[in-house]
């Protein structure tokens, strides 16, 4: 800590204006450097992991982010009350808000990041395009005339050539972005993108770019000294995405010609130097698959979610670098000392259910344990709640190896040893992604998920059956060896293994299985007979049992089949009942009692984990009852609306 005490801008106490995984990540570096870490939290996060890890914590308001984590006034009040010297924004929330930077500087505090001018310049994608062009950095062909009306944009789209991409000038994360394949769809896309951009960022400005279909998404980690000097920490490939949000990231980028790599470094450094950038940033590029000409996409003026893969191959702590730069201390390395070693791959572990269209999931985590050999950056632990108020990402799994093959092998083995229960996650999907030929060969593009799972992802049937068999075996045998049991599930002796007919009900449905005990237990669903691993860990959680295999986690109830058929207790929804598909906020009710609706009409809109979900009518009907009001937070399966079919 002595360096920070005697620095040109001394830092002793750092307030982290964030939550979750990134707040925990920053706290770890502060503690290693001997700095006091101060957490802020909403009412919903009063007992969150980042609060428990911090040296001190300050409450800043109710659960909605707009009233807590997005409130500049409340963050600054917390900084004053806690005696903080510096504020680290993390990523998301206020991390790319120039008003936040200016307010911190006006309060006489240190902002751990670039100045307001740089944040503002790069926060507008239109302004960033102009700066990049001036710096000689190639940009995607497009039209960025501010204030252009629909007629002007329509002519510009014809000049660019379809397909085009409508993009919000502010913000990121895919919000305010629409693909337009045909001229007749442009007007609706413009209206939709503007509305979403205005809601998400307070700025409805949009522009057009040529849609580079199925490209690679490659970015360069940069670090500026604020005086025109800049370093790079090599590149990352972030091509595996869903709805323009990254899912898998790796460094360095596979199958990238060295000439392209050097061009990326040159372009990124030129842009960083042009704006006299200070601190960590990321310059993002897109490049058509098989092409050698990258185009500038945008610059993120903050730490990226995927920064761990860069840290792993370069052997640095980027948060430490940020804090040193903010304190006015010299940077630890020169460009020729930043040498990549090996390969690293990161997965974003989200609380969501890929098999149901990636609906976010909420609840209490009943078990969370990472597999061996992984760096596990997490914002939650066993016993923590996953709230509907914030982003669905709960952790990151990162593997490093001597080369890409070694990193991939370590990551797969680490996933196989990871356990998550209590909420649904995307880990099974991610495990399946890693073994596809396209990813294994380093040929993934932004269309990877759609191409790999054109009908949507479903769990591997054999893996699911094996998990159900293991759960059923554990549920009916408890801790005893089934060969020594004397109840009805054992028939005969060890030479005549017992057989049980069971019903297993889990998030993937209800299944009727036959379980055979013995030294090599087997499970059958009538069409397949598979061996199950007696050593697979199964644990009890209330009246359910949970097990994980190859990243797929299943939590199930088990009953004798005869009992299940007599008294079928499977959860069915009455026809015409519209229930909440997830825990979240009802933002709109678009119908009134007595209204007639047709199939597909939107009845209500819900929001959870920053995602919007429209609830359609399943058939033509009359609205018989509305059970909730807009602005109400409801639990999953809460009845919202009741419909009744009208007689002919």
């Amino acid at each position: 800590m002595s360096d920070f005490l005697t620095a040109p801008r001394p830092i002793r106490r750092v307030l982290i204006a964030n939550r979750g995984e990134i707040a925990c990540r920053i706290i770890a570096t502060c503690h290693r450097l001997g700095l006091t870490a101060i957490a802020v939290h909403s009412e919903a996060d009063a007992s969150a992991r980042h609060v428990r890890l911090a040296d001190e914590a300050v409450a800043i308001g109710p659960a909605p982010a707009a009233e807590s984590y997005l409130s500049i006034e409340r963050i600054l009040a917390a900084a004053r009350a806690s005696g903080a010297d510096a504020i680290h924004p993390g990523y998301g929330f206020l991390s790319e808000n120039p008003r936040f930077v200016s307010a911190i500087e006006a309060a006489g505090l240190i902002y751990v990041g670039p100045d307001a001018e740089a944040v503002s310049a790069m926060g507008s994608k239109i302004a960033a395009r102009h700066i990049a062009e001036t710096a000689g950095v190639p940009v995607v062909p497009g039209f960025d005339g501010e204030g252009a009306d629909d007629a002007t944009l329509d002519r510009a789209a014809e000049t660019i050539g379809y397909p085009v991409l409508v993009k919000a000038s502010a913000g990121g994360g895919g919000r305010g972005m629409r693909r337009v394949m045909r001229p007749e769809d442009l007007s609706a896309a413009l209206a939709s993108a503007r509305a979403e951009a205005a809601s998400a960022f307070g700025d409805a400005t949009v522009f057009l770019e040529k849609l580079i279909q199925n490209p690679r998404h490659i970015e360069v980690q940069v670090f500026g000294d604020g005086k025109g000097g800049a370093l790079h920490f090599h590149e990352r490939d972030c091509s595996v995405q869903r709805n323009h949000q990254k899912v898998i990231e790796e460094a360095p980028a596979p199958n990238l010609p060295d000439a392209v790599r050097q061009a990326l470094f040159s372009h990124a450094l030129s842009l960083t130097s042009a704006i006299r950038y200070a601190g960590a940033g990321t310059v993002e590029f897109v490049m058509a698959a098989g092409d050698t000409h990258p185009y500038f996409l945008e610059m993120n003026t903050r730490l990226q979610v995927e920064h761990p893969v860069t840290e792993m191959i370069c052997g640095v702590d980027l948060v430490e670098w940020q804090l040193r730069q903010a304190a006015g201390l010299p940077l630890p390395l020169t460009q020729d000392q930043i040498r990549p070693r090996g390969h690293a791959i990161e997965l974003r572990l989200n609380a969501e259910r890929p098999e149901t269209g990636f609906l976010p999931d909420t609840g209490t985590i009943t078990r969370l344990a990472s597999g061996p050999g992984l760096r596990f950056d997490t914002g939650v632990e066993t016993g923590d709640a996953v709230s509907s108020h914030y982003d669905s990402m709960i952790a990151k799994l990162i593997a490093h190896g001597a080369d890409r093959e070694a990193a991939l092998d370590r990551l797969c083995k680490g996933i196989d040893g990871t356990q998550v229960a209590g909420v649904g996650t995307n880990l099974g999907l991610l495990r399946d992604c890693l073994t596809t030929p396209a990813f294994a060969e380093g040929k993934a593009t932004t269309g990877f998920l759609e191409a790999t799972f054109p009908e949507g992802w479903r769990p591997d049937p054999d893996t699911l059956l094996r998990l159900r068999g293991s759960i059923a075996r554990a549920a009916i045998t408890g801790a005893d060896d089934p060969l020594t049991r004397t109840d009805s599930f054992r028939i005969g002796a060890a030479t005549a293994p017992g057989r049980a007919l069971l019903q297993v009900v889990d998030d993937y449905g209800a299944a009727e299985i036959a379980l055979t005990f013995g030294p090599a237990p087997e499970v059958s669903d009538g069409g397949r007979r598979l061996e199950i691993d007696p050593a697979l860990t199964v644990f009890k959680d209330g009246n359910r049992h949970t097990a994980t295999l190859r990243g797929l986690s299943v939590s199930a109830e088990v009953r004798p089949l005869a009992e299940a058929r007599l008294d079928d207790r499977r959860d069915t929804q009455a026809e015409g009942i519209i229930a909440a598909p997830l825990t979240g906020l009802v933002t709109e009710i678009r119908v009134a009692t007595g209204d007639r609706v047709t199939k597909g009409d939107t009845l209500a809109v819900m929001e959870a984990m920053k995602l919007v979900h429209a609830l359609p009518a399943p058939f033509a009907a009359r609205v018989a009852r509305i059970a909730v009001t807009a602005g109400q937070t409801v639990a999953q399966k809460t009845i919202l609306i009741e419909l009744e079919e009208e007689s002919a």
Side-chain angles (χ1 to χ4, degrees):
M1 181 178 176
S2 58
D3 284 354
F4 289 92
L5 289 176
T6 58
R9 296 185 293 273
I11 295 177
R12 296 168 301 160
R13 299 168 63 81
V14 181
L15 183 137
I16 297 124
N18 219 295
R19 66 176 301 278
E21 174 271 326
I22 187 57
C24 295
R25 161 74 187 88
I26 297 166
I27 289 169
T29 292
C30 286
H31 285 170
R32 185 174 61 77
L33 297 175
L35 302 174
T36 298
I38 304 164
V40 294
H41 65 86
S42 68
E43 292 173 1
D45 278 342
S47 60
R49 183 172 187 259
H50 75 281
V51 174
R52 300 195 300 268
L53 291 178
D55 300 295
E56 301 173 20
V58 182
I60 55 171
E67 301 175 50
S68 50
Y69 297 108
L70 288 172
S71 171
I72 295 175
E73 293 75 18
R74 292 185 178 186
I75 296 290
L76 287 176
R80 286 191 292 267
S82 62
D85 306 306
I87 297 179
H88 195 304
Y91 53 70
F93 292 132
L94 294 168
S95 65
E96 293 182 284
N97 187 319
R99 287 199 309 111
F100 184 46
V101 182
S102 296
I104 291 172
E105 294 170 345
L109 300 172
I110 298 169
Y111 180 71
V112 184
D115 59 29
E117 185 177 352
V119 174
S120 179
M122 292 296 107
S124 164
K125 293 184 178 66
I126 292 176
R129 282 172 58 90
H130 295 166
I131 294 169
E133 289 177 307
T134 301
V137 179
V139 300
V140 179
F143 177 80
D144 51 26
E146 295 195 50
D149 57 19
D150 282 16
T152 302
L153 290 170
D154 184 65
R155 291 191 296 271
E158 291 289 351
T159 302
I160 297 168
Y162 284 90
V164 298
L165 193 63
V166 178
K167 297 180 69 174
S169 179
R175 306 295 292 271
M177 190 178 297
R178 299 291 185 274
R179 295 185 179 192
V180 185
M181 310 303 290
R182 307 174 304 168
E184 53 266 36
D185 297 331
L186 180 62
S187 179
L190 289 169
S192 175
R194 285 178 178 134
E196 186 174 42
S199 174
F201 315 122
D203 183 349
T205 304
V206 298
F207 65 102
L208 300 180
E209 280 185 350
K210 175 69 177 176
L211 176 61
I212 300 177
Q213 300 189 71
N214 210 24
R216 296 184 69 178
H217 184 124
I218 302 173
E219 59 190 31
V220 179
Q221 175 72 63
V222 294
F223 205 98
D225 63 8
K227 303 172 185 177
L231 304 172
H232 71 78
F233 290 84
H234 300 268
E235 84 286 355
R236 301 184 287 252
D237 189 312
C238 306
S239 297
V240 180
Q241 303 178 9
R242 187 181 72 80
N243 292 340
H244 306 289
Q245 294 187 334
K246 300 161 188 174
V247 177
I248 303 175
E249 302 107 347
E250 60 182 304
N255 301 320
L256 189 67
D258 190 60
V260 176
R261 180 173 282 113
Q262 297 306 318
L264 288 169
F265 298 161
S266 176
H267 295 330
L269 292 177
S270 294
L271 181 63
T272 307
S273 296
I275 59 172
R276 300 176 68 84
Y277 189 82
T282 299
V283 185
E284 304 196 356
F285 299 86
V286 291
M287 183 173 68
D291 198 1
T292 58
H293 297 89
Y295 294 107
F296 169 72
L297 184 64
E298 63 184 3
M299 182 178 187
N300 288 305
T301 54
R302 54 171 168 79
L303 202 63
Q304 294 278 89
V305 177
E306 57 272 21
H307 75 273
V309 293
T310 294
E311 292 183 327
M312 298 294 277
I313 68 164
C314 293
V316 297
D317 180 337
L318 289 172
V319 175
E320 177 183 355
W321 277 60
Q322 288 184 299
L323 290 166
R324 290 182 64 86
Q325 192 279 328
L329 293 169
L331 301 183
L333 300 174
T334 60
Q335 186 66 71
D336 61 354
Q337 293 174 314
I338 302 171
R339 300 171 182 170
R341 296 182 297 276
H343 199 95
I345 307 173
E346 173 182 294
L347 307 179
R348 299 191 187 191
L349 181 64
N350 295 336
E352 62 187 9
R353 303 208 67 93
E355 75 282 0
T356 61
F358 294 92
L359 282 176
D361 204 10
T362 58
T364 298
I365 296 175
T366 55
R367 179 168 293 202
L368 180 64
S370 67
L374 299 181
R375 169 174 166 176
F376 190 62
D377 287 11
T378 178
V380 293
E381 295 174 334
T382 298
D384 287 347
V386 177
S387 167
S388 64
H389 294 288
Y390 311 113
D391 189 87
S392 63
M393 193 186 81
I394 57 176
K396 301 181 301 197
L397 287 72
I398 309 105
H400 179 259
D403 54 28
R404 189 171 189 267
E405 184 178 357
L408 189 55
D409 180 66
R410 176 169 291 178
L411 185 56
C412 289
K413 290 177 179 176
I415 292 173
D416 293 346
T418 297
Q419 294 182 335
V420 189
V423 294
T425 75
N426 61 340
L427 193 55
L429 162 72
L430 296 174
R431 179 65 169 81
D432 288 348
C433 287
L434 299 180
T435 55
T436 62
F439 187 86
E441 296 169 9
K443 297 179 179 178
T445 66
T446 57
F448 170 80
L449 285 178
E450 291 82 358
T452 304
F453 308 106
E455 304 300 322
W457 178 84
R458 293 290 297 173
D460 174 68
D462 287 355
T463 302
L464 181 57
L465 182 56
R466 286 191 169 96
L467 278 169
R468 286 171 167 167
S470 294
I471 289 171
R473 178 179 181 274
I476 66 174
T477 63
D480 299 327
D481 183 339
L483 295 180
T484 66
R485 290 178 63 87
T486 59
D487 62 16
S488 59
F489 288 114
R490 178 179 180 271
I491 304 174
T495 55
R499 186 169 183 269
L501 300 179
L502 305 165
Q503 182 196 63
V504 180
V505 181
D506 53 45
D507 291 319
Y508 301 101
E512 297 181 356
I513 66 170
L515 187 64
T516 304
F517 300 108
E522 294 181 331
V523 61
S524 170
D525 62 0
R528 294 164 296 165
R529 180 180 292 275
L530 301 173
E531 289 187 6
I532 57 177
D533 182 1
L536 185 69
T537 300
V538 181
F539 61 94
K540 191 172 183 181
D541 179 18
N543 63 343
R544 301 170 75 88
H545 285 73
T546 301
T548 302
L549 181 62
R550 291 176 56 83
L552 181 66
S553 183
V554 170
S555 182
E557 294 183 31
V558 180
R559 294 188 299 166
L561 184 58
E563 175 187 324
R565 286 179 172 174
L566 287 173
D567 182 17
D568 189 351
R569 297 176 185 170
R570 284 173 291 175
D571 184 23
T572 58
Q573 188 180 66
E575 189 173 9
I577 297 296
I578 307 301
L582 72 173
T583 298
L585 177 69
V586 178
T587 56
E588 292 181 67
I589 299 292
R590 295 190 179 179
V591 292
T593 301
D595 283 357
R596 289 175 172 80
V597 296
T598 60
K599 181 179 180 180
D601 285 352
T602 297
L603 306 177
V605 178
M606 290 186 64
E607 183 174 331
M609 294 181 175
K610 304 196 310 189
L611 298 177
V612 175
H613 307 273
L615 307 181
F619 48 77
R622 186 182 71 85
V623 178
R625 185 171 78 97
I626 298 175
V628 295
T629 59
Q632 186 175 340
T633 297
V634 298
Q636 186 180 28
K637 298 183 181 179
T638 298
I639 295 176
L640 308 178
I641 297 172
E642 294 182 20
L643 304 176
E644 61 180 19
E645 291 188 89
E646 296 187 284
S647 56

